[in-house]
Amino acid sequence: MQVASQTTLQDSPTADETAFSRQSLLGLNLEEVEEIVTSQGLPRFRARQLWRRVWRHGQTDFGDMTELGKDARDKLSAVCQADRPMITNRQTSKDGTIKWLIRCDDGQEAEMVYIPEDDRGTLCISSQIGCTLTCSFCHTGTQRLVRNLTAAEITGQVLLAMDELGDWPAGKEERRLTNIVLMGMGEPLYNYESVKKALSLIMWGEGLGLSKRRVTLSTSGIVPEIEKCGDELGVNLAISLHAVHDELRNELVPINRKYDLKTLIDCVRRYPVLSNARRVTWEYVMIKGVNDSPEDARRLVKLIKGIPSKINLIPFNKWPGSDYECSSDEAIDAFAKIVMKAGYASPVRKPRGQDILAACGQLKSESVRLRKSQMAALQQAAK
Ligand code: SAH
Ligand code: SF4
């Protein structure tokens, strides 16, 4: 397998040194932008104009915001900015998947991935650099948490992707980015306040106006925050289940020791927005000889009985250093058949962007990225 294309971009114009001292507008709500505007002695209505330039038109250069007038442009450009994170690497897979490595102001790096499909284009974004949880099958889990991403860094990923995909002005009909999933690096519910603020801006009608039905948050199962997320954001929920017995889940998804299967499933049962039209997704990574028996499949459908659900069987993506293997095609088929017989449709997730290591659990930052030789071995294995 060959990587379709790759570019390394070290001198992105967003690497503006002065950005360090100017406040980012990307994590602020309209009231907060109004405070900045009035603190500069400018009339309040300038805030809404500035807001529209940033959120509806994707403008980053104050010089282009002619509607604001020269005085406002000069004053505002001295104290705030709408810069994106810097792109340090862009890879495009043969199947159209794009992966960007992005660098924050403090040099920390995260990844985001765009996955085009016939009826949608999904952007997978990160919520943390690394992860504090140590799920045994997850590559990101081997990297210790470096820090939470700020709200501006989370929205910045989405705005940057829109720049890259040519999706401005926001809300245009033929846009390429239609859905967002928080399935990149990190546990979004361990960075809840920033995730909440970022998603509110993305979903607000005067922000990007993306419907909450088009946003999915994936969690390993932080029960108290799942409840808050349902009440306060109402986005779609995906649960990283991966095991149907506590003993095994304690090993695969160690947060299970704190919130066990019963507590988690009871909490999902109460998730406010669930209906047949908006079902919870149960993510289940298929690991050979570990969690892939017919007995596991039967217990899975029993556990979630009565909850409007989709089941997503994810072939385990092997990474160097992991002892796990992906289940055989036969085991996946047999598992899927049991699940389908119980009424859940087409449950196997097709791996995407494998040639650029963009698949689930393979997102990882530059400091610990795979060496070329490891990458070659992995690509060989994937043939
Ligand atoms: N922390 C959140 C979101 C990020 S992980 C969570 O755990 O849900 C996104 C998804 O990728 C999760 O379902 C995760 O279990 C899955 N995943 C992680 N490593 C994987 C691997 N090696 N192969 C397949 N799926 C993996
Ligand atoms: Fe963290 Fe999710 Fe990976 Fe677990 S699966 S280590 S929660 S990113």
Side-chain angles (χ1 to χ4, degrees):
M1 226 184 254
Q2 275 198 335
V3 173
S5 82
Q6 175 167 339
T7 44
T8 302
L9 312 156
Q10 298 293 358
D11 301 315
S12 162
T14 53
D16 181 351
E17 299 295 312
T18 61
F20 287 101
S21 54
R22 295 182 294 144
Q23 185 165 16
S24 173
L25 293 166
L26 306 186
L28 304 181
N29 60 31
L30 182 57
E31 291 73 50
E32 290 164 330
V33 176
E34 281 173 350
E35 272 171 37
I36 295 185
V37 165
T38 51
S39 75
Q40 295 305 304
L42 296 164
R44 190 171 292 270
F45 74 88
R46 292 287 183 212
R48 198 171 277 272
Q49 289 177 327
L50 172 60
W51 178 272
R52 285 187 60 77
R53 292 292 114 204
V54 172
W55 283 97
R56 304 304 294 174
H57 297 276
Q59 287 177 336
T60 55
D61 184 344
F62 282 84
D64 295 337
M65 304 184 193
T66 44
E67 166 189 23
L68 289 179
K70 175 106 176 59
D71 179 41
R73 288 204 309 268
D74 288 347
K75 284 182 172 151
L76 291 170
S77 63
V79 293
C80 56
Q81 41 88 9
D83 292 346
R84 319 303 194 215
M86 177 166 54
I87 298 175
T88 53
N89 190 288
R90 178 196 294 115
Q91 287 174 275
T92 306
S93 160
K94 286 184 294 182
D95 68 15
T97 301
I98 309 172
K99 180 171 83 169
W100 297 269
L101 185 67
I102 56 172
R103 186 175 296 163
C104 303
D105 282 350
D106 64 354
Q108 294 296 342
E109 292 184 314
E111 285 179 341
M112 62 172 190
V113 179
Y114 172 74
I115 305 162
E117 285 171 285
D118 292 344
D119 62 338
R120 68 185 64 188
T122 304
L123 183 71
C124 173
I125 58 174
S126 297
S127 56
Q128 299 182 308
I129 310 251
C131 186
T132 45
L133 301 176
T134 49
C135 301
S136 55
F137 56 89
C138 173
H139 202 189
T140 304
T142 62
Q143 184 191 7
R144 66 179 179 81
L145 178 75
V146 180
R147 67 171 174 83
N148 284 331
L149 292 177
T150 62
E153 288 165 342
I154 298 170
T155 59
Q157 293 173 64
V158 179
L159 300 177
L160 176 62
M162 290 174 68
D163 298 344
E164 290 274 300
L165 297 167
D167 263 359
W168 298 107
K172 72 173 182 180
E173 216 164 279
E174 66 288 11
R175 60 188 182 269
R176 294 170 73 192
L177 196 169
T178 61
N179 291 54
I180 291 177
V181 293
L182 282 117
M183 288 187 188
M185 284 168 68
E187 169 49 59
L189 295 186
Y190 268 172
N191 185 18
Y192 181 69
E193 288 307 320
S194 297
V195 165
K196 177 179 154 187
K197 184 139 194 215
L199 291 184
S200 307
L201 293 168
I202 288 164
M203 297 190 301
W204 190 41
E206 293 186 48
L208 295 182
L210 196 75
S211 158
K212 59 189 175 194
R213 292 162 192 273
R214 293 188 172 274
V215 178
T216 301
L217 183 146
S218 173
T219 176
S220 56
I222 319 297
V223 166
E225 266 70 28
I226 293 176
E227 287 169 0
K228 273 204 238 165
C229 178
D231 292 338
E232 298 175 351
L233 293 171
V235 294
N236 300 327
L237 188 64
I239 302 285
S240 289
L241 191 67
H242 309 315
V244 290
H245 296 281
D246 279 318
E247 201 185 333
L248 178 62
R249 196 161 190 273
N250 287 345
E251 191 187 307
L252 294 182
V253 188
I255 194 68
N256 193 70
R257 296 192 189 128
K258 193 159 180 192
Y259 307 110
D260 66 8
L261 276 169
K262 184 173 178 332
T263 312
L264 174 61
I265 291 170
D266 283 351
C267 154
V268 173
R269 211 177 279 284
R270 294 191 304 270
Y271 196 71
V273 301
L274 294 187
S275 68
N276 270 339
R278 291 190 69 196
R279 291 173 282 175
V280 61
T281 301
W282 301 96
E283 295 164 283
Y284 196 94
V285 58
M286 297 294 294
I287 311 176
K288 185 183 259 170
V290 173
N291 63 353
D292 61 351
S293 72
E295 193 276 322
D296 288 315
R298 283 190 286 272
R299 181 152 168 88
L300 170 60
V301 294
K302 205 164 145 196
L303 276 182
I304 63 171
K305 198 162 185 247
I307 306 178
S309 298
K310 289 186 258 188
I311 294 172
N312 213 329
L313 301 181
I314 313 168
F316 170 65
N317 287 308
K318 197 163 168 55
W319 40 272
S322 162
D323 293 336
Y324 294 128
E325 297 287 336
C326 181
S327 304
S328 66
D329 289 349
E330 294 72 36
I332 297 178
D333 280 354
F335 198 107
K337 272 210 183 91
I338 295 170
V339 163
M340 282 193 277
K341 227 176 134 193
Y344 304 98
S346 65
V348 184
R349 186 192 287 177
K350 201 166 100 208
R352 297 292 303 261
Q354 280 199 322
D355 51 338
I356 56 169
L357 221 64
C360 301
Q362 295 181 328
L363 302 186
K364 202 156 184 183
S365 65
E366 178 84 325
S367 51
V368 270
R369 262 181 339 138
L370 302 178
R371 286 202 308 273
K372 262 200 175 132
S373 56
Q374 294 173 306
M375 184 97 166
L378 199 84
Q379 285 162 359
Q380 196 62 28
K383 266 184 188 166

